[in-house]
Amino acid sequence: MTVDEVRNHFIHELDEVGDLESLNNLKVKYLGKKGHITELNALIKTMPNEEKKEFGQKVNSLREEFLSLYEEKKIKFEEQILNEKLEKETIDISLPATKITVGAPNILEKLIEEVEELLISMGYDVVDGPEIEEDKYNFEMLNIPKGHPARDAQDTFYLEGEEILLRSQTSPVQVRTMLKNKGEVPIRMICPGKTYRRDDDDATHSHQFMQIEGLVVDKDISLSDLKGTIDVIVKKLFGQDVETRFRPSYYQFTEPSVEVDISCFNCKGDGCPICKHSGWITIAGAGIVHPNVLKMGGYDPKVWSGFAFGFGAERMAMLKYDINDIRVFYNTDLRESRVFDRKEAEQID
Ligand code: DAH
């Protein structure tokens, strides 16, 4: 074949070729050992010298033309193969994803944090005390000596003899805080924490529960300071239109002592099952710190005075989130946290 014939052939054949394999075969057909272009090249040797140069150049440019057309085709086929592969291996992102259950914050913790945040903004410290407590702090230094009938209502778990127990209230932290401050500086503290009693568990009793204790010791502290403080807490938790009422009560470590009632946030005083149709709900115990307690805590009652309060954390959460069984907090049933979640969501709406 002449140079022109070879050229016509491969232009036609390259045009027709459909895949990488036949393209490579074509390369062998033209440039292999016995390929058409290779054969043309071999002819050069046999030619008279004056024709060699021109013919050689022709064959050379023919070879270059073939190679450049071949490369062009090769890139096209490779791209095609890659695209087909990518298409085959794409991930179908329209498939529904596996559902991951999202937890909800523990509502007791949430309530406690809400109270803490408020009282910190009012200058209070949040303090901690041991759950394994001494009889001395849990009872005696709170004006409840051995044999006092008030101990009956706070029977608890004893760990070693009669002196080491699981605290039945957070009030011992009052004593510990006073002793730590050595009768010298004013105190403003709250202590949220776990408490224990030997109660049989039912809808309103749990052998483990939480209290939020508060203590203020300063000069000229009065019952109205207590009422104002409680009122701020109550309004924050239950709404601005909720009112606070004090009823006379009795605690050994406060004198006078009060029961703190709030006006029913549900029926606004008309009477409903939440307030047992009285229009009021009892929410805490409180009072003016008893002089004996101040004295035992190292504070001179002639100089210092104070108020204290103790909220039941579960009781507040039960009221706030409309829960009718305290065991919900301790039975680790995950469905319960979803229920509270929904309540929250409704409130946010
Ligand atoms: N510790 C009391 C209880 O568990 C609650 C209480 C009442 C705490 C009056 C106080 C207080 O600080 O002043 O029943």
Side-chain angles (χ1 to χ4, degrees), residues 7-22:
R7 186 173 179 272
N8 285 341
H9 269 95
F10 77 59
I11 289 198
H12 174 71
E13 281 189 291
L14 276 169
D15 199 40
E16 294 278 284
V17 83
D19 57 42
L20 202 57
E21 201 187 337
S22 6

Side-chain angles (χ1 to χ4, degrees), residues 154 168-171 174 197 209 211 213-214 251 253-254 257-258 284-288 307-311:
Q154 296 209 12
S168 61
Q169 49 188 348
T170 42
S171 303
Q174 290 187 30
R197 291 198 194 165
F209 55 104
Q211 292 187 332
E213 192 79 20
Y251 292 100
F253 37 91
T254 42
S257 301
V258 297
I288 293 296
F307 68 68
F309 57 81
F311 285 94

Side-chain angles (χ1 to χ4, degrees), residues 99-215:
K99 230 183 172 180
I100 300 166
T101 326
V102 180
N106 178 288
I107 55 166
L108 262 184
E109 286 300 324
K110 215 162 69 172
L111 181 120
I112 288 168
E113 272 172 23
E114 217 175 317
V115 177
E116 281 179 358
E117 216 171 90
L118 173 70
L119 286 165
I120 286 170
S121 78
M122 289 160 71
Y124 283 66
D125 290 327
V126 178
V127 304
D128 228 352
E131 287 171 36
I132 297 173
E133 187 52 285
E134 294 177 44
D135 182 279
K136 183 169 79 175
Y137 297 116
N138 195 74
F139 292 124
E140 277 178 50
M141 293 180 82
L142 286 166
N143 218 16
I144 314 172
K146 290 213 164 65
H148 194 291
R151 288 188 176 221
D152 293 348
Q154 296 209 12
D155 194 11
T156 182
F157 302 91
Y158 287 82
L159 302 176
E160 276 171 37
E162 291 186 347
E163 297 305 322
I164 309 293
L165 46 81
L166 294 184
R167 68 180 177 195
S168 61
Q169 49 188 348
T170 42
S171 303
V173 186
Q174 290 187 30
V175 182
R176 287 181 173 276
T177 309
M178 282 192 268
L179 291 174
K180 203 171 156 201
N181 286 289
K182 301 193 164 61
E184 283 162 10
V185 285
I187 294 169
R188 253 186 249 174
M189 74 83 172
I190 55 160
C191 168
K194 288 196 195 101
T195 48
Y196 303 85
R197 291 198 194 165
R198 271 180 64 161
D199 281 336
D200 288 330
D201 294 354
D202 62 24
T204 52
H205 295 86
S206 169
H207 62 280
Q208 177 192 317
F209 55 104
M210 291 190 90
Q211 292 187 332
I212 306 175
E213 192 79 20
L215 173 71

Side-chain angles (χ1 to χ4, degrees), residues 86-97:
L86 284 175
E87 209 158 293
K88 232 191 280 167
E89 289 175 7
T90 48
I91 298 160
D92 182 359
I93 54 163
S94 67
L95 267 181

Side-chain angles (χ1 to χ4, degrees), residues 295-313:
K295 226 183 284 172
M296 284 187 270
Y299 278 77
D300 182 354
K302 286 197 207 78
V303 180
W304 301 94
S305 50
F307 68 68
F309 57 81
F311 285 94

Side-chain angles (χ1 to χ4, degrees), residues 226-280:
L226 172 63
K227 187 141 191 239
T229 305
I230 299 256
D231 205 46
V232 172
I233 300 172
V234 159
K235 284 188 161 56
K236 171 87 197 299
L237 290 178
F238 296 102
Q240 290 302 316
D241 52 348
V242 171
E243 281 172 44
T244 311
R245 169 177 95 170
F246 279 0
R247 259 184 311 118
S249 186
Y250 169 71
Y251 292 100
Q252 303 70 41
F253 37 91
T254 42
E255 178 61 36
S257 301
V258 297
E259 263 348 271
V260 179
D261 292 344
I262 58 168
S263 61
C264 184
F265 50 84
N266 187 47
C267 64
K268 316 273 178 239
D270 294 343
C272 72
I274 291 183
C275 61
K276 297 197 182 105
H277 300 282
S278 71
W280 294 91

